[in-house]
């Protein structure tokens, strides 16, 4: 999905769920890691995490867009647009916007260990001593990736 398709998706969701037009820009931001999207107060634009789209698909992006549009429409109307505000909670519940997005899967492990007894795998960022640590079943670990 490109920024043009995202823009039309955001405009469609805005009209469908809020009955109000989205008059600003929506773009993907590859640098967003801990959040699914972000509403910019200064210019009223919305940024969506490309990593969320790659990991979970269009359904997750739709939920994130709804959440950010709640911020957008409430801020433009001069109502409480922050997470703790009553207006935000009510509108988010009406449109079915979730409070949080799914966490990104952590695929940045460097080491992989497998139990010799039950074949359970343990991805790790740091190296572990296979002589010191064992599986939950008590089996010995074998280093697979290095």
């Amino acid at each position: 999905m490109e920024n043009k398709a995202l823009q039309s998706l955001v405009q469609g969701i805005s009209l469908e769920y809020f009955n109000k037009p989205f008059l600003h820009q929506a773009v993907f931001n590859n640098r967003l890691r801990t959040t699914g999207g972000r509403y910019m107060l200064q210019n009223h634009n919305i940024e969506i995490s490309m990593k969320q789209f790659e990991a979970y698909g269009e359904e997750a992006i739709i939920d994130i867009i709804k959440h950010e549009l709640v911020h957008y429409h409430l801020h433009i109307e001069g109502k409480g647009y922050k997470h703790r505000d009553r207006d935000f909670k009510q509108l988010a519940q009406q449109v079915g916007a979730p409070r949080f997005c799914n966490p990104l899967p952590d695929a940045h492990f460097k080491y992989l260990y497998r139990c010799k007894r039950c074949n359970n795998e343990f991805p790790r960022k740091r190296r572990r001593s296979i002589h010191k640590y064992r599986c939950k079943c008590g089996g010995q670990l074998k280093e697979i990736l290095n």
Side-chain angles (χ1 to χ4, degrees):
M1 181 181 283
E2 294 184 11
N3 286 335
K4 278 187 175 182
L6 177 66
Q7 179 73 27
S8 63
L9 180 64
V10 171
Q11 289 171 343
I13 290 172
S14 182
L15 288 173
E16 181 181 344
Y17 288 95
F18 297 91
N19 297 320
K20 298 172 189 169
F22 177 71
L23 303 173
H24 294 84
Q25 284 197 332
V27 293
F28 280 113
N29 185 342
N30 291 325
R31 293 169 305 182
L32 295 178
R33 295 183 191 277
T34 60
T35 183
R38 155 167 86 175
Y39 166 63
M40 309 299 284
L41 291 171
Q42 299 84 5
N43 57 13
H44 305 293
N45 292 341
I46 291 178
E47 296 179 349
I48 302 295
S49 171
M50 180 58 105
K51 292 174 177 59
Q52 283 283 331
F53 177 69
E54 292 168 351
Y56 298 110
E58 193 169 331
E59 294 81 24
I61 293 297
I62 289 172
D63 286 341
I64 293 168
I65 290 170
K66 283 193 240 178
H67 178 94
E68 300 308 324
L69 282 173
V70 171
H71 288 295
Y72 171 80
H73 288 298
L74 290 174
H75 182 250
I76 292 210
E77 293 171 6
K79 296 181 180 176
Y81 61 89
K82 297 179 182 176
H83 290 119
R84 66 177 179 260
D85 295 330
R86 181 182 294 143
D87 293 331
F88 180 87
K89 291 177 183 177
Q90 287 174 348
L91 186 57
Q93 188 175 20
Q94 285 175 4
V95 298
R99 176 114 188 220
F100 301 106
C101 65
N102 296 326
L104 289 171
D106 189 16
H108 299 293
F109 61 88
K110 193 173 179 180
Y111 301 96
L112 181 64
Y113 300 97
R114 182 177 292 144
C115 176
K116 290 182 179 179
R117 187 185 298 173
C118 67
N119 289 326
N120 198 3
E121 292 186 347
F122 301 95
R124 295 288 181 257
K125 290 183 180 181
R126 292 179 154 183
R127 186 176 207 127
R128 291 270 170 116
S129 170
I130 58 175
H131 304 292
K132 188 176 180 182
Y133 293 97
R134 293 192 171 257
C135 178
K136 294 175 186 176
C137 73
Q140 263 190 325
L141 297 179
K142 180 171 75 172
E143 190 171 327
I144 305 298
L145 279 180
N146 184 354

